[in-house]
Amino acid sequence: QVQLVESGGGLVQPGGSLRLSCEVSGQTVRPYAVAWFRQALGKEREFVGATRQNGMSTNYADSVKGRFTVSRDYAKNTVYLQMNNLKPEDTALYYCAAGRRLILSTIATWRAYDYYGQGTQVTVSS
């Protein structure tokens, strides 16, 4: 059984940075696609970014391109979301998700994943 645990959220000022971690246990993360999603209060959950199976490529939502980066650390079995130049509209509960059957057309689809974390809150405010 794969378990995902997010950490690293918090309160940050606009323009600041945070790095979220998604620690994977139960299996090696290598064959899994891992994505980050977020859900702001009163809004639908949305795709943020993902690293494909075996870390072959990454995909990002247009709203975060150039500001957010998804990366893997195989030694720590962890996937990171580095968030720079944060904006108030980035405020949300951030989730990671993992799956082994993702293709390009489903990489941004929440229900296409097999395992999910509990989320970590990010608040961007002055």
Side-chain angles (χ1 to χ4, degrees):
Q1 182 72 15
V2 174
Q3 292 186 326
L4 309 178
V5 178
E6 303 97 334
S7 62
L11 174 64
V12 62
Q13 292 186 344
S17 298
L18 279 177
R19 188 179 75 163
L20 305 184
S21 300
C22 174
E23 184 175 356
V24 181
S25 62
Q27 293 187 27
T28 173
V29 71
R30 190 175 296 273
Y32 286 85
V34 178
W36 289 91
F37 292 83
R38 66 186 182 186
Q39 187 166 19
L41 195 63
K43 295 187 177 181
E44 293 186 354
R45 187 182 295 114
E46 64 176 356
F47 171 76
V48 175
T51 170
R52 302 280 298 278
Q53 285 92 325
N54 298 309
M56 293 181 66
S57 63
T58 53
N59 302 86
Y60 298 96
D62 288 343
S63 58
V64 306
K65 278 181 182 176
R67 301 189 298 125
F68 290 12
T69 303
V70 181
S71 63
R72 297 176 178 241
D73 184 333
Y74 289 114
K76 296 183 178 180
N77 221 37
T78 298
V79 175
Y80 300 102
L81 178 66
Q82 177 66 45
M83 306 185 293
N84 298 328
N85 190 22
L86 282 160
K87 305 175 181 181
E89 52 263 42
D90 295 318
T91 295
L93 188 60
Y94 283 71
Y95 300 90
C96 63
R100 296 191 62 170
R101 297 165 293 180
L102 283 300
I103 57 177
L104 186 57
S105 62
T106 62
I107 200 75
T109 304
W110 172 259
R111 293 182 177 180
Y113 291 81
D114 303 311
Y115 304 101
Y116 304 91
Q118 294 300 307
T120 184
Q121 178 68 37
V122 172
T123 302
V124 185
S125 175
S126 56

